[in-house]
Amino acid sequence: DTGVSQDPRHKITKRGQNVTFRCDPISEHNRLYWYRQTLGQGPEFLTYFQNEAQLEKSRLLSDRFSAERPKGSFSTLEIQRTEQGDSAMYLCASSFQTDTQYFGPGTRLTVL
Amino acid sequence: GEDVEQSLFLSVREGDSSVINCTYTDSSSTYLYWYKQEPGAGLQLLTYIFSNMDMKQDQRLTVLLNKKDKHLSLRIADTQTGDSAIYFCAESDGSGGYQKVTFGIGTKLQVIP
């Protein structure tokens, strides 16, 4: 399977805990994007990387959120001190340059 | 800012054609997309169209773009129960140096056997 993969697929955590998600993009894609999707809504852009550089961050990305792509391949998204409002599906997508973005299956986060 | 609007729900009978409509506001859109999302899954790219095209056909899917009215539609011929899903219209604008994709709220397609 050469598509975008995400791990874990589901995460249940208690409020105040830290969580980390991983995304592995399509291997030849140099751009990687994170989106958040809440119930009944379309995905909303959070941030994107070109290779290892984080070039754009949405205002939705509060100080509790941090994303990395240390070697320009996989990426991690960490949420510190989770809140119930962080419950959502976190989607990763990748593309080659400005070409079409291909999405992974998502990580569903539930904060109790 | 950019905005993409879609109707929330569409119900069709199996074998009929489905038409899902979308309007957008960003006149500098370069690509327009249709994605499909099944319950609990990520988004699957169905098709896309460049902003300088009027129509694109791909098997059972036909995309029509009216750039003047900023209206995009997706027609699914011979709709099957497996087509039941949420369909997202999206537009992207590369003017900021990357393809910022803005999604609509999604249209839930229900196919009645």
Side-chain angles (χ1 to χ4, degrees), chain A:
Chain A
D1 185 9
T2 57
V4 178
S5 62
Q6 292 187 245
D7 183 69
R9 294 291 307 277
H10 304 274
K11 178 71 177 179
I12 300 174
T13 191
K14 292 183 179 179
R15 190 176 53 185
Q17 297 295 305
N18 298 345
V19 294
T20 300
F21 310 140
R22 176 180 169 124
C23 170
D24 287 87
I26 293 171
S27 59
E28 62 267 26
H29 286 182
N30 60 341
R31 294 191 175 191
L32 186 148
Y33 309 79
W34 285 99
Y35 291 82
R36 181 173 69 187
Q37 184 181 21
T38 52
L39 201 61
Q41 301 294 319
E44 296 173 295
F45 170 81
L46 291 178
T47 188
Y48 102 102
F49 292 83
Q50 177 160 307
N51 301 313
E52 65 276 5
Q54 187 174 16
L55 297 186
E56 185 81 16
K57 290 196 287 187
S58 160
R59 283 171 291 179
L60 291 175
L61 213 65
S62 76
D63 292 344
R64 297 183 297 105
F65 287 69
S66 62
E68 294 183 344
R69 194 183 183 199
K71 297 180 181 178
S73 56
F74 73 92
S75 174
T76 58
L77 177 68
E78 182 183 16
I79 308 174
Q80 295 182 326
R81 304 181 303 281
T82 51
E83 301 173 358
Q84 287 185 325
D86 297 331
S87 294
M89 174 83 91
Y90 290 84
L91 294 163
C92 176
S94 70
S95 71
F96 178 72
Q97 295 295 84
T98 57
D99 287 350
T100 301
Q101 296 177 26
Y102 292 87
F103 283 79
T107 295
R108 181 167 296 284
L109 173 66
T110 303
V111 182
L112 301 176

Side-chain angles (χ1 to χ4, degrees), chain A residues 31 37 40 48 98 100-101 105, chain B residues 35 37 42 45 98-99 101 105:
Chain A
R31 294 191 175 191
Q37 184 181 21
Y48 102 102
T98 57
T100 301
Q101 296 177 26
Chain B
Y35 284 88
Q37 187 176 38
L45 176 67
Y98 75 101
Q99 288 293 347
V101 181
I105 198 171

